[in-house]
Amino acid sequence: MTRWGLVGFGEAGRVIGGALAASGADLAVHDRLLADPDRGPELAQAVRAAGARPVADVAGLADRDVVLSLVTPATALAAAEGFAASARDGVLYVDLNSTAPRVKEAVAAALPAARVVDGVMTGGGIRLDGRRIPISLAGPDAGEAGRLLCGAGLSAAVVGERVGAAAALKMLRSVVVKGLEGLWTEALLAAAELDVVEPLLAMVEETLDRWPTRDFATMLVTTHVGHAGRRQVEARMVRDTVAGTGVEPLMSAALVARQERTARELEQAGRRPGEVPPTLAEALEVLRSLPG
């Protein structure tokens, strides 16, 4: 039977740890607060209530086959360094913290005896039931980690062979999701100044509802290659419209910069305006080959 360890019993740790324990896993949990004389007893009780065994010293995880790290992003590296002295050769250490790829690489470097796997949680985040949280894994031993996690009732998939790839994937997802957050915020603030919030929502809704996500992304990027020249003019008008409402056009200014750069580089490369690549892969290759 696989012996599981968990470092960190905060909100995310309780969700994932609870799901593991509910599956019948042999789970030991370390959290630095367990050594706190005031808060430790209550936390230890919560760990036991979840069906796991609390260990106040990280050395108590030395016999574990798999150790999951679910601490705060700021302490992810420190947690790995703290476990390093206790890590036995070949232990599978799955860092599930939301950090940049370089931090994942530093975690791997801090644990030379361990087999480090880069992991991230996406989708609905920790609001979901622990068994339904999508976990993406990367690294040479990600396949084994995925099999073990799925065998314990969790949802895990391998997305890359290099430590840091899963973290990069989550960061790039945030480019889109948090970018949309910024775009919506700016557009709706400007719309509120003009009293057109509902019409704007309806207009964008009609556009988005027409397209599956993959098709929409393909349409946007392929036509970006074909029409950046004229769209840079439109983007400037967008920026000026937002600014005219009194809302600072932070996102709109970035749109202008992106359109202007692509238009300038396409012209330098001698590409004809209006020439739309037939596929997303071809569009990306065109953009990657621009002089920069």
Side-chain angles (χ1 to χ4, degrees):
M1 183 178 186
T2 302
R3 294 165 297 185
W4 294 82
L6 174 62
V7 180
F9 205 64
E11 189 175 9
R14 293 184 188 214
V15 172
I16 295 296
L20 277 173
S23 74
D26 172 5
L27 177 64
V29 175
H30 167 72
D31 189 293
R32 58 183 179 175
L33 291 181
L34 285 167
D36 186 307
D38 297 321
R39 302 170 66 182
E42 182 179 353
L43 184 60
Q45 183 178 356
V47 171
R48 294 189 187 95
R53 175 172 59 86
V55 292
D57 191 321
V58 71
L61 300 181
D63 68 335
R64 302 288 93 182
D65 302 306
V66 185
V67 174
L68 308 181
S69 176
L70 272 167
V71 295
T72 64
T75 61
L77 179 55
E81 292 170 340
F83 178 61
S86 305
R88 62 183 179 82
D89 287 346
V91 62
L92 204 58
Y93 186 91
V94 186
D95 185 299
L96 289 172
N97 301 299
S98 296
T99 62
R102 60 178 177 78
V103 179
K104 300 284 187 174
E105 293 166 359
V107 165
L111 290 164
R115 294 177 295 148
V116 174
V117 176
D118 162 25
V120 296
M121 297 182 294
T122 56
I126 59 176
R127 289 188 299 274
L128 289 175
D129 176 271
R131 292 167 296 183
R132 294 170 51 218
I133 295 175
I135 298 174
S136 298
L137 303 170
D141 297 290
E144 181 179 351
R147 288 190 294 273
L148 289 168
L149 287 166
C150 290
L154 300 177
S155 176
V158 177
V159 298
E161 298 180 354
R162 181 175 59 84
V163 169
L169 182 64
K170 183 167 184 176
M171 296 299 109
L172 295 175
R173 174 184 180 273
S174 290
V175 172
V176 177
V177 176
K178 291 179 173 59
L180 287 171
E181 173 190 330
L183 290 169
W184 273 114
T185 299
E186 185 166 299
L188 290 172
L189 281 171
E193 295 298 321
L194 299 170
D195 197 25
V196 291
V197 169
E198 287 303 322
L200 175 62
L201 287 169
M203 184 179 292
V204 177
E205 183 177 45
E206 189 278 329
T207 300
L208 295 179
D209 285 355
R210 266 188 279 150
W211 297 88
T213 299
R214 291 171 186 265
D215 293 344
F216 192 53
T218 298
M219 181 274 290
L220 290 176
V221 177
T222 56
T223 59
H224 176 71
V225 173
H227 303 301
R230 66 175 175 80
R231 286 179 180 171
Q232 67 178 320
V233 178
E234 298 168 2
R236 293 187 199 109
M237 290 189 286
V238 167
R239 176 197 60 200
D240 295 345
T241 298
V242 172
T245 68
V247 174
E248 187 175 2
L250 299 173
M251 300 298 292
S252 301
L255 296 179
V256 172
R258 169 54 66 187
Q259 297 290 353
E260 287 182 342
R261 176 169 179 168
T262 300
R264 180 176 64 254
E265 293 179 355
L266 287 170
E267 184 178 4
Q268 291 172 355
R271 191 173 181 89
R272 297 192 304 273
E275 187 178 345
V276 176
T279 68
L280 176 60
E282 290 176 70
L284 292 173
E285 187 54 38
V286 169
L287 292 170
R288 293 175 67 196
S289 67
L290 292 177

